Coordinates of all heavy atoms in Angstrom, one line a residue:
Chain B
F1467 N 17.2 -9.1 -45.4 CA 17.0 -10.0 -44.3 C 18.3 -10.4 -43.7 O 18.5 -10.5 -42.4 CB 16.2 -11.3 -44.7 CG 15.9 -12.2 -43.6 CD1 14.8 -11.8 -42.7 CD2 16.6 -13.3 -43.3 CE1 14.5 -12.7 -41.7 CE2 16.3 -14.1 -42.3 CZ 15.2 -13.8 -41.4
D1468 N 19.3 -10.6 -44.5 CA 20.7 -11.0 -44.0 C 21.2 -9.9 -43.1 O 22.0 -10.2 -42.2 CB 21.6 -11.2 -45.2 CG 21.3 -12.5 -45.9 OD1 20.6 -13.3 -45.3 OD2 21.8 -12.7 -47.0
L1469 N 20.8 -8.6 -43.3 CA 21.2 -7.6 -42.4 C 20.3 -7.4 -41.2 O 20.7 -7.0 -40.1 CB 21.2 -6.2 -43.2 CG 22.2 -6.1 -44.4 CD1 22.1 -4.8 -45.1 CD2 23.7 -6.3 -43.9
V1470 N 19.0 -7.8 -41.4 CA 18.0 -7.6 -40.3 C 18.4 -8.5 -39.1 O 18.4 -8.1 -38.0 CB 16.6 -8.0 -40.8 CG1 15.7 -8.2 -39.6 CG2 16.1 -6.8 -41.7
V1471 N 18.8 -9.7 -39.4 CA 19.0 -10.7 -38.3 C 20.1 -10.2 -37.3 O 19.9 -10.1 -36.1 CB 19.2 -12.1 -38.8 CG1 19.6 -13.1 -37.7 CG2 18.0 -12.6 -39.6
P1472 N 21.3 -10.0 -37.9 CA 22.3 -9.5 -36.9 C 22.0 -8.2 -36.2 O 22.4 -8.0 -35.1 CB 23.6 -9.4 -37.8 CG 23.2 -9.4 -39.1 CD 21.9 -10.1 -39.2
A1473 N 21.3 -7.3 -36.9 CA 21.0 -6.0 -36.3 C 20.0 -6.1 -35.2 O 20.0 -5.3 -34.3 CB 20.5 -5.1 -37.4
Y1474 N 19.1 -7.1 -35.3 CA 17.9 -7.1 -34.4 C 17.8 -8.3 -33.5 O 17.0 -8.3 -32.6 CB 16.6 -6.9 -35.1 CG 16.4 -5.5 -35.6 CD1 16.7 -5.1 -36.9 CD2 15.8 -4.6 -34.8 CE1 16.5 -3.8 -37.3 CE2 15.6 -3.3 -35.2 CZ 16.0 -2.9 -36.4 OH 15.8 -1.6 -36.9
K1475 N 18.6 -9.3 -33.7 CA 18.4 -10.6 -33.0 C 18.5 -10.4 -31.5 O 17.7 -11.0 -30.7 CB 19.3 -11.7 -33.5 CG 20.8 -11.5 -33.3 CD 21.5 -12.7 -33.8 CE 23.0 -12.5 -33.6 NZ 23.8 -13.6 -34.1
D1476 N 19.5 -9.7 -31.0 CA 19.7 -9.6 -29.6 C 18.5 -8.8 -28.9 O 18.0 -9.2 -27.9 CB 21.0 -8.9 -29.2 CG 22.2 -9.8 -29.5 OD1 22.0 -11.0 -29.2 OD2 23.1 -9.4 -30.1
R1477 N 18.1 -7.7 -29.5 CA 17.0 -6.9 -29.0 C 15.7 -7.7 -29.0 O 14.9 -7.6 -28.1 CB 16.9 -5.6 -29.7 CG 18.0 -4.7 -29.2 CD 17.8 -3.3 -29.7 NE 18.8 -2.4 -29.1 CZ 19.0 -1.1 -29.4 NH1 18.2 -0.6 -30.3 NH2 19.8 -0.4 -28.8
V1478 N 15.5 -8.4 -30.1 CA 14.3 -9.2 -30.3 C 14.2 -10.3 -29.2 O 13.2 -10.5 -28.5 CB 14.2 -9.9 -31.7 CG1 13.2 -11.0 -31.7 CG2 13.8 -8.8 -32.7
F1479 N 15.4 -10.9 -28.9 CA 15.5 -11.9 -27.9 C 15.2 -11.3 -26.5 O 14.4 -11.9 -25.7 CB 16.8 -12.6 -27.9 CG 17.1 -13.4 -26.7 CD1 16.5 -14.7 -26.6 CD2 18.0 -13.0 -25.7 CE1 16.7 -15.4 -25.4 CE2 18.3 -13.8 -24.6 CZ 17.6 -15.0 -24.5
R1480 N 15.8 -10.1 -26.2 CA 15.6 -9.5 -24.9 C 14.2 -9.1 -24.7 O 13.6 -9.2 -23.6 CB 16.6 -8.4 -24.7 CG 18.0 -8.8 -24.6 CD 18.9 -7.7 -24.1 NE 19.1 -6.7 -25.1 CZ 20.2 -6.5 -25.9 NH1 21.2 -7.4 -25.8 NH2 20.3 -5.5 -26.7
L1481 N 13.5 -8.6 -25.8 CA 12.1 -8.2 -25.7 C 11.3 -9.4 -25.4 O 10.4 -9.4 -24.5 CB 11.7 -7.5 -27.0 CG 10.2 -7.2 -27.1 CD1 9.7 -6.3 -25.9 CD2 9.9 -6.5 -28.4
A1482 N 11.6 -10.5 -26.1 CA 10.8 -11.8 -25.9 C 11.1 -12.3 -24.5 O 10.1 -12.7 -23.8 CB 11.3 -12.8 -26.9
Y1483 N 12.3 -12.2 -24.0 CA 12.6 -12.6 -22.6 C 11.8 -11.8 -21.6 O 11.3 -12.3 -20.6 CB 14.1 -12.6 -22.4 CG 14.4 -13.1 -21.0 CD1 14.5 -14.4 -20.7 CD2 14.6 -12.2 -20.0 CE1 14.8 -14.9 -19.5 CE2 14.9 -12.6 -18.7 CZ 15.0 -14.0 -18.4 OH 15.3 -14.4 -17.2
S1484 N 11.7 -10.5 -21.8 CA 11.1 -9.7 -20.9 C 9.6 -10.0 -20.8 O 8.9 -9.8 -19.7 CB 11.2 -8.2 -21.2 OG 10.4 -7.8 -22.3
I1485 N 9.0 -10.6 -21.9 CA 7.6 -10.9 -21.9 C 7.4 -12.4 -21.4 O 6.5 -12.6 -20.6 CB 7.0 -10.8 -23.3 CG1 7.1 -9.3 -23.7 CG2 5.6 -11.2 -23.3 CD1 6.8 -9.0 -25.2
L1486 N 8.3 -13.3 -21.9 CA 8.0 -14.7 -21.6 C 8.8 -15.2 -20.3 O 8.4 -16.2 -19.8 CB 8.5 -15.5 -22.8 CG 7.7 -15.3 -24.1 CD1 8.3 -16.0 -25.2 CD2 6.2 -15.7 -23.9
K1487 N 9.8 -14.5 -20.0 CA 10.6 -14.7 -18.7 C 11.3 -16.1 -18.7 O 11.7 -16.5 -17.7 CB 9.6 -14.6 -17.5 CG 9.0 -13.3 -17.3 CD 8.3 -13.2 -16.0 CE 6.8 -13.5 -16.1 NZ 6.1 -13.3 -14.9
E1488 N 11.4 -16.7 -19.9 CA 12.1 -18.0 -19.9 C 13.1 -17.9 -21.1 O 12.7 -17.5 -22.2 CB 11.2 -19.1 -20.2 CG 10.4 -19.7 -19.1 CD 9.6 -20.8 -19.6 OE1 10.1 -21.9 -19.7 OE2 8.4 -20.6 -19.8
R1489 N 14.3 -18.2 -20.9 CA 15.3 -18.1 -21.9 C 15.0 -18.9 -23.2 O 15.0 -18.5 -24.3 CB 16.7 -18.6 -21.4 CG 17.8 -18.0 -22.1 CD 19.1 -18.8 -21.7 NE 20.0 -18.8 -22.9 CZ 19.8 -19.6 -23.9 NH1 18.9 -20.5 -23.9 NH2 20.6 -19.5 -25.0
A1490 N 14.7 -20.2 -23.0 CA 14.4 -21.1 -24.1 C 13.2 -20.6 -24.9 O 13.2 -20.6 -26.1 CB 14.2 -22.5 -23.6
A1491 N 12.1 -20.3 -24.1 CA 10.9 -19.8 -24.8 C 11.2 -18.5 -25.5 O 10.6 -18.3 -26.6 CB 9.8 -19.6 -23.8
A1492 N 12.0 -17.6 -25.0 CA 12.3 -16.4 -25.6 C 13.1 -16.6 -26.9 O 12.9 -16.0 -27.9 CB 13.1 -15.5 -24.7
E1493 N 14.0 -17.6 -26.9 CA 14.8 -17.9 -28.1 C 13.9 -18.5 -29.2 O 14.0 -18.1 -30.3 CB 15.9 -18.8 -27.7 CG 16.9 -19.0 -28.9 CD 18.3 -19.4 -28.5 OE1 18.7 -18.9 -27.4 OE2 18.9 -20.2 -29.1
D1494 N 13.0 -19.3 -28.8 CA 12.0 -19.9 -29.7 C 11.2 -18.8 -30.3 O 10.9 -18.7 -31.5 CB 11.1 -20.9 -29.1 CG 11.8 -22.2 -28.8 OD1 12.9 -22.4 -29.3 OD2 11.3 -23.0 -28.0
A1495 N 10.7 -17.8 -29.5 CA 9.9 -16.7 -30.0 C 10.7 -15.8 -30.9 O 10.2 -15.3 -31.9 CB 9.4 -15.9 -28.8
A1496 N 12.0 -15.7 -30.6 CA 12.9 -14.9 -31.5 C 13.0 -15.6 -32.8 O 12.9 -14.9 -33.9 CB 14.2 -14.7 -30.9
Q1497 N 13.2 -16.9 -32.8 CA 13.2 -17.6 -34.1 C 11.9 -17.4 -34.9 O 12.0 -17.2 -36.1 CB 13.4 -19.1 -33.8 CG 14.7 -19.5 -33.2 CD 15.7 -20.0 -34.2 OE1 15.3 -20.4 -35.3 NE2 17.0 -19.9 -33.9
E1498 N 10.8 -17.6 -34.2 CA 9.5 -17.5 -34.9 C 9.3 -16.1 -35.4 O 8.8 -15.9 -36.5 CB 8.4 -17.8 -33.9 CG 7.0 -17.8 -34.4 CD 6.8 -18.8 -35.6 OE1 7.5 -19.8 -35.6 OE2 5.9 -18.5 -36.4
T1499 N 9.8 -15.1 -34.6 CA 9.7 -13.7 -35.1 C 10.4 -13.5 -36.4 O 9.9 -12.9 -37.3 CB 10.3 -12.8 -34.0 OG1 9.5 -12.9 -32.8 CG2 10.3 -11.3 -34.5
F1500 N 11.7 -14.0 -36.5 CA 12.4 -13.8 -37.7 C 11.9 -14.6 -38.9 O 12.0 -14.2 -40.0 CB 13.9 -14.1 -37.5 CG 14.6 -13.0 -36.7 CD1 15.1 -13.2 -35.4 CD2 14.8 -11.8 -37.3 CE1 15.7 -12.2 -34.8 CE2 15.4 -10.8 -36.6 CZ 15.8 -11.0 -35.3
V1501 N 11.3 -15.8 -38.6 CA 10.6 -16.5 -39.7 C 9.5 -15.6 -40.2 O 9.3 -15.5 -41.4 CB 10.1 -17.9 -39.2 CG1 9.2 -18.5 -40.2 CG2 11.3 -18.8 -38.9
R1502 N 8.7 -15.0 -39.3 CA 7.6 -14.2 -39.7 C 8.1 -12.9 -40.5 O 7.5 -12.5 -41.5 CB 6.8 -13.7 -38.5 CG 6.0 -14.9 -37.9 CD 5.2 -14.4 -36.8 NE 4.5 -15.6 -36.1 CZ 3.5 -15.5 -35.3 NH1 3.1 -14.3 -34.9 NH2 3.0 -16.5 -34.7
V1503 N 9.2 -12.4 -40.0 CA 9.8 -11.2 -40.6 C 10.2 -11.6 -42.0 O 9.9 -10.9 -43.0 CB 11.0 -10.7 -39.8 CG1 11.8 -9.7 -40.7 CG2 10.5 -10.0 -38.5
W1504 N 10.8 -12.8 -42.2 CA 11.3 -13.2 -43.5 C 10.1 -13.4 -44.4 O 10.2 -13.0 -45.6 CB 12.0 -14.6 -43.3 CG 12.6 -15.1 -44.6 CD1 13.8 -14.8 -45.1 CD2 12.0 -16.1 -45.4 NE1 13.9 -15.5 -46.3 CE2 12.9 -16.3 -46.5 CE3 10.8 -16.8 -45.4 CZ2 12.6 -17.2 -47.5 CZ3 10.5 -17.7 -46.4 CH2 11.4 -17.9 -47.4
K1505 N 9.0 -13.9 -43.9 CA 7.8 -14.1 -44.8 C 7.2 -12.8 -45.2 O 6.7 -12.6 -46.3 CB 6.8 -15.0 -44.1 CG 7.1 -16.4 -44.0 CD 6.1 -17.2 -43.3 CE 6.3 -18.6 -43.1 NZ 5.4 -19.3 -42.2
A1506 N 7.2 -11.8 -44.2 CA 6.5 -10.6 -44.4 C 7.3 -9.5 -45.0 O 6.8 -8.4 -45.4 CB 5.9 -10.1 -43.1
L1507 N 8.6 -9.7 -45.1 CA 9.5 -8.6 -45.5 C 9.2 -8.0 -46.9 O 9.2 -6.8 -47.1 CB 11.0 -9.0 -45.4 CG 12.0 -8.0 -45.3 CD1 11.7 -7.1 -44.1 CD2 13.4 -8.6 -45.1
P1508 N 8.8 -8.9 -47.9 CA 8.4 -8.3 -49.2 C 7.2 -7.4 -49.1 O 7.1 -6.5 -49.9 CB 8.1 -9.5 -50.0 CG 8.9 -10.6 -49.4 CD 8.9 -10.3 -47.9
G1509 N 6.4 -7.5 -48.1 CA 5.2 -6.7 -47.9 C 5.4 -5.5 -47.0 O 4.5 -4.7 -46.8
F1510 N 6.7 -5.3 -46.5 CA 6.9 -4.2 -45.6 C 6.9 -2.9 -46.4 O 7.6 -2.8 -47.3 CB 8.3 -4.4 -44.9 CG 8.8 -3.2 -44.1 CD1 8.1 -2.9 -42.9 CD2 9.8 -2.4 -44.5 CE1 8.5 -1.8 -42.2 CE2 10.2 -1.4 -43.7 CZ 9.5 -1.0 -42.6
D1511 N 6.0 -2.0 -46.0 CA 5.8 -0.8 -46.8 C 6.5 0.4 -46.3 O 6.4 1.5 -46.9 CB 4.3 -0.5 -46.9 CG 3.6 -0.4 -45.6 OD1 4.3 -0.2 -44.6 OD2 2.4 -0.4 -45.5
G1512 N 7.2 0.3 -45.1 CA 8.0 1.4 -44.6 C 7.2 2.5 -44.0 O 7.7 3.5 -43.7
R1513 N 5.9 2.2 -43.8 CA 5.1 3.3 -43.1 C 5.5 3.4 -41.6 O 5.6 4.5 -41.1 CB 3.6 2.9 -43.1 CG 2.9 3.4 -44.4 CD 1.4 3.1 -44.4 NE 1.1 1.7 -44.3 CZ -0.1 1.2 -44.3 NH1 -1.1 2.0 -44.3 NH2 -0.3 -0.1 -44.2
A1514 N 5.9 2.3 -41.0 CA 6.5 2.4 -39.6 C 8.0 2.1 -39.8 O 8.4 1.6 -40.8 CB 5.8 1.3 -38.8
A1515 N 8.7 2.5 -38.8 CA 10.1 2.2 -38.8 C 10.3 0.7 -38.7 O 9.5 0.0 -38.2 CB 10.8 2.9 -37.6
L1516 N 11.4 0.3 -39.3 CA 11.6 -1.2 -39.4 C 11.7 -1.8 -38.0 O 11.1 -2.8 -37.8 CB 13.0 -1.4 -40.1 CG 13.3 -2.9 -40.4 CD1 12.3 -3.5 -41.3 CD2 14.7 -3.0 -41.0
G1517 N 12.4 -1.1 -37.1 CA 12.4 -1.7 -35.7 C 11.1 -1.8 -35.1 O 10.7 -2.8 -34.4
T1518 N 10.3 -0.7 -35.2 CA 8.9 -0.7 -34.7 C 8.1 -1.9 -35.2 O 7.4 -2.6 -34.4 CB 8.2 0.6 -35.1 OG1 9.0 1.7 -34.6 CG2 6.8 0.7 -34.4
W1519 N 8.3 -2.1 -36.5 CA 7.6 -3.2 -37.1 C 8.0 -4.6 -36.6 O 7.2 -5.5 -36.2 CB 7.8 -3.1 -38.6 CG 7.1 -4.1 -39.5 CD1 5.8 -4.2 -39.7 CD2 7.8 -5.2 -40.3 NE1 5.6 -5.3 -40.6 CE2 6.7 -5.9 -40.9 CE3 9.1 -5.6 -40.4 CZ2 7.0 -6.9 -41.8 CZ3 9.4 -6.6 -41.3 CH2 8.3 -7.3 -41.9
I1520 N 9.3 -4.7 -36.5 CA 9.9 -6.0 -36.0 C 9.5 -6.3 -34.5 O 9.1 -7.4 -34.2 CB 11.4 -6.0 -36.2 CG1 11.8 -6.1 -37.7 CG2 12.1 -7.2 -35.4 CD1 13.3 -5.9 -38.0
Y1521 N 9.6 -5.2 -33.7 CA 9.2 -5.4 -32.3 C 7.7 -5.7 -32.1 O 7.3 -6.4 -31.2 CB 9.6 -4.1 -31.5 CG 11.1 -3.8 -31.5 CD1 11.5 -2.6 -31.6 CD2 12.0 -4.9 -31.4 CE1 12.9 -2.3 -31.6 CE2 13.3 -4.6 -31.4 CZ 13.8 -3.3 -31.5 OH 15.1 -3.1 -31.5
A1522 N 6.9 -5.1 -33.0 CA 5.5 -5.4 -33.0 C 5.2 -6.9 -33.3 O 4.4 -7.6 -32.6 CB 4.7 -4.6 -33.9
I1523 N 6.0 -7.4 -34.3 CA 5.9 -8.8 -34.6 C 6.3 -9.7 -33.4 O 5.7 -10.7 -33.0 CB 6.7 -9.2 -35.9 CG1 6.1 -8.5 -37.1 CG2 6.8 -10.7 -36.1 CD1 6.9 -8.6 -38.3
T1524 N 7.4 -9.2 -32.8 CA 7.9 -10.0 -31.6 C 6.9 -10.0 -30.5 O 6.6 -11.1 -29.9 CB 9.2 -9.3 -31.1 OG1 10.1 -9.1 -32.1 CG2 9.9 -10.1 -30.0
R1525 N 6.3 -8.9 -30.2 CA 5.3 -8.8 -29.1 C 4.1 -9.7 -29.4 O 3.6 -10.5 -28.6 CB 4.8 -7.4 -28.9 CG 5.9 -6.5 -28.2 CD 5.3 -5.2 -27.7 NE 4.6 -4.5 -28.7 CZ 5.1 -3.6 -29.5 NH1 6.4 -3.3 -29.5 NH2 4.4 -2.9 -30.4
N1526 N 3.7 -9.7 -30.7 CA 2.5 -10.5 -31.1 C 2.9 -12.0 -31.0 O 2.1 -12.8 -30.5 CB 2.1 -10.2 -32.5 CG 1.4 -8.9 -32.6 OD1 0.8 -8.5 -31.6 ND2 1.3 -8.3 -33.8
T1527 N 4.1 -12.3 -31.4 CA 4.6 -13.7 -31.3 C 4.6 -14.2 -29.8 O 4.1 -15.3 -29.5 CB 6.0 -13.9 -31.9 OG1 5.9 -13.4 -33.2 CG2 6.4 -15.3 -31.9
C1528 N 5.0 -13.3 -28.9 CA 5.1 -13.7 -27.5 C 3.7 -13.8 -26.9 O 3.4 -14.7 -26.1 CB 5.9 -12.7 -26.8 SG 7.7 -12.7 -27.2
L1529 N 2.8 -12.9 -27.3 CA 1.5 -12.9 -26.8 C 0.8 -14.2 -27.2 O 0.0 -14.8 -26.5 CB 0.7 -11.7 -27.2 CG 1.2 -10.4 -26.5 CD1 0.4 -9.2 -27.0 CD2 1.1 -10.5 -25.0
M1530 N 1.0 -14.6 -28.5 CA 0.4 -15.8 -29.0 C 1.0 -17.0 -28.2 O 0.2 -18.0 -27.9 CB 0.7 -16.0 -30.5 CG -0.2 -15.2 -31.3 SD 0.2 -15.4 -33.1 CE -0.2 -17.1 -33.3
E1531 N 2.2 -17.0 -27.8 CA 2.8 -18.1 -27.0 C 2.2 -18.1 -25.7 O 1.9 -19.2 -25.1 CB 4.4 -17.8 -27.0 CG 5.1 -18.7 -26.0 CD 4.9 -20.2 -26.2 OE1 4.5 -20.6 -27.4 OE2 5.2 -21.0 -25.3
L1532 N 2.0 -16.9 -25.1 CA 1.3 -16.9 -23.7 C -0.1 -17.4 -23.8 O -0.5 -18.2 -22.9 CB 1.3 -15.5 -23.2 CG 2.7 -14.9 -22.8 CD1 2.6 -13.4 -22.3 CD2 3.3 -15.7 -21.6
R1533 N -0.8 -17.0 -24.9 CA -2.1 -17.6 -25.0 C -2.1 -19.1 -25.3 O -3.0 -19.8 -24.8 CB -2.8 -16.9 -26.2 CG -3.3 -15.5 -25.9 CD -4.2 -15.0 -27.0 NE -4.2 -13.5 -27.0 CZ -3.6 -12.8 -28.0 NH1 -3.0 -13.4 -29.0 NH2 -3.6 -11.5 -27.9
R1534 N -1.2 -19.5 -26.0 CA -1.1 -21.0 -26.3 C -0.9 -21.7 -25.0 O -1.4 -22.8 -24.8 CB 0.1 -21.2 -27.3 CG 0.1 -22.6 -27.8 CD 1.4 -22.9 -28.6 NE 2.6 -22.8 -27.8 CZ 3.0 -23.7 -26.9 NH1 2.3 -24.8 -26.8 NH2 4.1 -23.6 -26.2
R1535 N 0.0 -21.2 -24.1 CA 0.3 -21.8 -22.9 C -1.0 -21.9 -22.0 O -1.3 -22.9 -21.4 CB 1.3 -21.1 -22.1 CG 2.7 -21.2 -22.6 CD 3.6 -20.4 -21.7 NE 4.9 -20.3 -22.2 CZ 5.9 -19.5 -21.6 NH1 5.6 -18.8 -20.6 NH2 7.1 -19.5 -22.2
R1536 N -1.7 -20.8 -22.0 CA -2.9 -20.8 -21.1 C -3.8 -19.7 -21.6 O -3.6 -18.5 -21.5 CB -2.5 -20.5 -19.7 CG -3.6 -20.6 -18.7 CD -3.0 -20.5 -17.3 NE -4.0 -20.3 -16.3 CZ -3.8 -20.1 -15.0 NH1 -2.5 -20.0 -14.6 NH2 -4.8 -20.0 -14.1
P1537 N -4.9 -20.2 -22.2 CA -5.8 -19.2 -22.9 C -6.3 -18.1 -22.0 O -6.5 -17.0 -22.5 CB -6.9 -20.1 -23.4 CG -6.4 -21.5 -23.4 CD -5.4 -21.5 -22.4
T1538 N -6.6 -18.4 -20.8 CA -7.2 -17.3 -19.9 C -6.2 -16.9 -18.8 O -6.5 -16.7 -17.7 CB -8.4 -17.9 -19.2 OG1 -8.1 -19.1 -18.5 CG2 -9.5 -18.1 -20.2
V1539 N -4.9 -16.7 -19.3 CA -3.9 -16.4 -18.3 C -4.1 -15.0 -17.7 O -4.6 -14.1 -18.4 CB -2.5 -16.4 -18.9 CG1 -2.4 -15.4 -20.0 CG2 -1.4 -16.3 -17.9
S1540 N -3.9 -14.9 -16.4 CA -4.0 -13.6 -15.8 C -2.6 -13.2 -15.5 O -1.9 -13.8 -14.7 CB -4.8 -13.7 -14.5 OG -4.6 -12.5 -13.7
F1541 N -2.1 -12.1 -16.1 CA -0.7 -11.7 -16.0 C -0.4 -11.3 -14.5 O 0.8 -11.4 -14.1 CB -0.4 -10.6 -16.9 CG -0.5 -11.0 -18.3 CD1 -1.1 -10.2 -19.3 CD2 0.0 -12.2 -18.8 CE1 -1.2 -10.5 -20.6 CE2 -0.1 -12.6 -20.1 CZ -0.7 -11.7 -21.0
D1542 N -1.3 -10.8 -13.8 CA -1.0 -10.3 -12.5 C -1.3 -11.4 -11.4 O -1.1 -11.1 -10.2 CB -1.9 -9.1 -12.2 CG -1.6 -8.0 -13.2 OD1 -0.5 -8.0 -13.8 OD2 -2.6 -7.2 -13.5
D1543 N -1.6 -12.6 -11.8 CA -1.9 -13.6 -10.8 C -0.5 -14.2 -10.4 O 0.2 -14.8 -11.2 CB -2.8 -14.7 -11.4 CG -3.0 -15.8 -10.5 OD1 -2.6 -15.7 -9.3 OD2 -3.7 -16.8 -10.9
P1544 N -0.2 -14.1 -9.1 CA 1.1 -14.7 -8.7 C 1.2 -16.2 -8.8 O 2.3 -16.7 -8.8 CB 1.2 -14.2 -7.2 CG -0.2 -13.9 -6.8 CD -0.9 -13.5 -8.0
D1545 N 0.0 -16.8 -8.9 CA 0.0 -18.3 -9.1 C 0.0 -18.7 -10.5 O -0.1 -19.9 -10.9 CB -1.2 -18.9 -8.4 CG -1.2 -18.7 -6.9 OD1 0.0 -18.6 -6.4 OD2 -2.2 -18.5 -6.3

Side-chain angles (χ1 to χ4, degrees):
Chain B
F1467 185 77
D1468 287 344
L1469 297 177
V1470 164
V1471 175
Y1474 284 96
K1475 65 179 180 181
D1476 289 318
R1477 285 188 172 177
V1478 163
F1479 169 72
R1480 291 194 288 261
L1481 175 58
Y1483 180 81
S1484 76
I1485 297 170
L1486 298 173
K1487 300 189 266 185
E1488 279 183 82
R1489 201 194 149 282
E1493 189 155 320
D1494 286 347
Q1497 292 265 340
E1498 182 61 26
T1499 297
F1500 282 113
V1501 168
R1502 289 181 186 194
V1503 167
W1504 182 82
K1505 285 178 181 172
L1507 205 53
F1510 174 66
D1511 57 13
R1513 275 186 295 182
L1516 184 64
T1518 305
W1519 181 69
I1520 291 173
Y1521 298 139
I1523 292 174
T1524 309
R1525 291 195 302 274
N1526 285 338
T1527 304
C1528 293
L1529 291 178
M1530 282 179 65
E1531 170 60 17
L1532 290 176
R1533 281 194 206 105
R1534 191 189 63 76
R1535 285 181 189 174
R1536 190 171 167 185
T1538 55
V1539 65
S1540 166
F1541 294 137
D1542 301 333
D1543 178 4
D1545 296 328

